[in-house]
Amino acid sequence: MQKILGYMRKAVQEFQLLSDGDRVAVGVSGGKDSVVLLTGLERLRSFIGIDFTVVGITLDPHFGGEPGDYRAIEALAAKRKIEYHIVPTEIGPIVFDHRKEEHPCSLCARLRRGALQTAAESFSCNKLALGHHYNDAVETFVMNLFREGRIGCFSPMTKLDGKNLTVIRPLVLAPEADIRRAAAREGLPIVKNKCPADGTTTRQETKEWLAEMERKDRGFTYRLFGALRRSGIDGWGYPEKESSCRKKAAFSMESEVKNEDV
């Protein structure tokens, strides 16, 4: 878990994700990423030097019309003394039973995003932490490039328009393999995803393609992530590089002014 905490600390500091007084809602689906994020943020509080509060929120989608079993997550939160809420929704029945979506992921994501934002605000949170990691970022970058013909990715931090809520992603520098190992070593409870579309999504296809490319060309994923960061799009730039560019621009402008005076 120490390795994950190192990744999280670096992300928090590089992208300025947290501030004193933040009340941070953590979207906890029950999967390894969100459970590691919940426990990681709570541990980070003890040494990072930022005074913030962690609030776990689970949206129960009621897949198959049945409530999910999140007792193991409740027990973990109680043990860690983390405020935790389970919010029942009808997302599962709406997407799969009423709408019968052929490609359900897009609608499901929109409904979950809206419900999670509403829940975070209802619990007086000003930050919403999601469990997207390093590999998620590369997969999104690739899907946008090859399926939509555009260069882009989700941002490490996004201020939502019209809301007193900022979305943060503290795990964006952490590889999925390290998260999986941390969850296993810590014995963290994982709630199996009951989504009928699990394992058959476009993201899963992209994940498998990247894994195959990595087997053929070691470092392929790392280079893609480096390209994303060097591009500086969507808030992914290196802080030191951006600072250097600003200084150079300021010096250039100052030189132009002096030359004009002469």
Side-chain angles (χ1 to χ4, degrees), residues 4 7-8 11 17 32-34 36-37 130-134 169-175 179:
I4 297 299
Y7 287 127
M8 292 178 68
L17 302 183
K32 66 182 188 316
D33 306 329
S34 61
V36 167
L37 175 62
L130 303 179
H132 296 117
H133 48 65
Y134 167 96
R169 295 175 168 90
L171 285 176
V172 288
L173 300 181
I179 294 172

Side-chain angles (χ1 to χ4, degrees), residues 28-31 57-70 84-98 104 107-109 111-113 115-116 191-197:
V28 186
S29 65
I57 300 177
T58 293
L59 297 180
D60 186 349
H62 280 72
F63 288 128
E66 298 292 331
D69 184 359
Y70 299 99
Y84 178 65
H85 306 274
I86 299 175
V87 179
T89 76
E90 291 300 310
I91 292 175
I94 289 172
V95 174
F96 292 100
D97 301 329
H98 305 321
L107 176 60
C108 185
L111 293 175
R112 284 188 291 110
R113 185 164 54 244
L116 193 53
V191 177
K192 181 173 173 52
N193 187 357
K194 294 184 178 181
C195 173

